[in-house]
Amino acid sequence: MIPLKSEKDLEMMRAAGQKLAKVIRTLRGYIEPGITTIEIDRIADSLIRQENAESAFLGYKGFPAHICTSVNEEVVHGIPSERRLGDSDIVSVDVGIKYQGYFSDAAITVGIGKVSPRAKKLIEVTKEALMAGIKQARANNRLSDISHAIQEYVEKNGFSVVREFVGHGIGRSLHEEPEIPNFGRPRTGLTLIQGMVLAIEPMVNTGSWECQILDNGWTAVTKDRLFSAHFEHTVAIGESGPEILTNYN
Ligand code: MG
């Protein structure tokens, strides 16, 4: 069952999305050479509190931090640590919040100082792939139209999409149906209808799409240890097309 949102639900999810967007916008300003990922986590914690919201990730299946910070070859679910970021690193920051019973989820990847042209392109392509997927998030399209648009854009640009992790429905739970793969054939799967809210989140690898999980049981890394990037928005299927609820631009 895919929970459809009422207009009242959507109002709450817009509020949650705007709060999350503000957190990410502010947080982004702190991410520069010399910062550690645990410092980013602490700042995020404080910004989330200022919005009268709470972290959706802290304690989720035992996750030990407020946000995920995935550096370089880390794909998703990186655990904030004393690791200090410097020139040529990239970091994916995934933030989920709960506000008055409603969840919102978004992610960005940021280059630190001077990054390689390849890493810069990876970040750009991942961001654009998310936008290509969002464009397809409209009533009467099929779910896989989103998946296909993302995969096509990524592969056209010489990168690969992660298979092991997918986007998801979101609302009163962080993860609701449906699962949204970032790959697939167009015009298959369920038909999208107004009132669905989806967290669309391409994870894009420089090399092979294959991943491994580190011994901490959480952090996914690329098998070939090449860089990976991640962008995510919470998006409502509106009457006249997609509505990005977490617009942090
Ligand atoms: Mg998500």
Side-chain angles (χ1 to χ4, degrees):
M1 272 301 290
I2 296 166
L4 293 182
K5 276 69 183 179
S6 66
E7 194 45 49
K8 184 186 164 293
D9 292 329
L10 281 171
E11 258 169 49
M12 296 305 297
M13 294 200 74
R14 281 188 192 105
Q18 278 165 20
K19 285 171 179 290
L20 177 53
K22 192 172 161 197
V23 167
I24 288 181
R25 227 179 279 128
T26 309
L27 190 60
R28 189 168 53 183
Y30 287 94
I31 303 175
E32 51 180 33
I35 197 165
T36 64
T37 53
I38 194 73
E39 285 167 344
I40 300 173
D41 184 83
R42 287 194 197 110
I43 296 164
D45 174 32
S46 141
L47 293 171
I48 292 167
R49 281 169 204 271
Q50 281 172 39
E51 296 301 320
N52 298 313
E54 57 187 279
S55 162
F57 300 163
L58 180 68
Y60 180 84
K61 295 184 180 171
F63 189 76
H66 302 88
I67 60 170
C68 301
T69 54
S70 305
V71 182
N72 298 343
E73 74 281 2
E74 295 174 354
V75 179
V76 284
H77 307 156
I79 299 173
S81 73
E82 299 298 334
R83 180 171 185 170
R84 202 168 287 283
L85 301 176
D87 267 336
S88 84
D89 285 333
I90 67 171
V91 62
S92 301
V93 177
D94 192 348
V95 187
I97 64 165
K98 184 182 185 184
Y99 174 69
Q100 295 193 4
Y102 290 87
F103 287 87
S104 197
D105 197 359
I108 54 168
T109 300
V110 179
I112 311 295
K114 204 170 155 40
V115 297
S116 73
R118 191 108 182 102
K120 201 172 171 189
K121 187 180 176 198
L122 175 73
I123 292 171
E124 276 312 307
V125 166
T126 309
K127 191 174 186 177
E128 288 306 314
L130 170 59
M131 298 319 292
I134 290 173
K135 252 190 216 165
Q136 299 299 321
R138 49 180 63 248
N140 299 318
N141 270 5
R142 308 286 282 271
L143 184 67
S144 76
D145 292 333
I146 299 173
S147 313
H148 178 74
I150 291 171
Q151 180 178 25
E152 187 178 58
Y153 188 83
V154 168
E155 293 182 352
K156 190 174 78 184
N157 281 282
F159 298 119
S160 66
V161 288
V162 168
R163 306 311 202 244
E164 289 99 321
F165 303 94
V166 295
H168 50 94
I170 183 167
R172 286 189 166 274
S173 301
L174 177 60
H175 295 119
E176 296 181 352
E177 286 185 53
E179 290 195 341
I180 311 163
N182 294 302
F183 59 95
R185 285 152 35 103
R187 308 303 300 162
T188 60
L190 72 97
T191 300
L192 301 175
I193 51 180
Q194 192 184 338
M196 290 178 178
V197 180
L198 308 173
I200 302 173
E201 49 176 325
M203 289 142 270
V204 176
N205 292 354
T206 304
S208 153
W209 56 266
E210 291 171 286
C211 299
Q212 293 173 334
I213 306 289
L214 296 183
D215 287 340
N216 66 23
W218 277 107
T219 310
V221 297
T222 57
K223 203 170 169 187
D224 56 19
R225 300 300 190 266
L226 296 177
F227 282 16
S228 184
H230 179 207
F231 279 85
E232 175 176 25
H233 272 307
T234 296
V235 180
I237 313 278
E239 195 180 351
S240 54
E243 178 184 352
I244 300 176
L245 303 184
T246 47
N247 195 358
Y248 44 64
N249 286 328

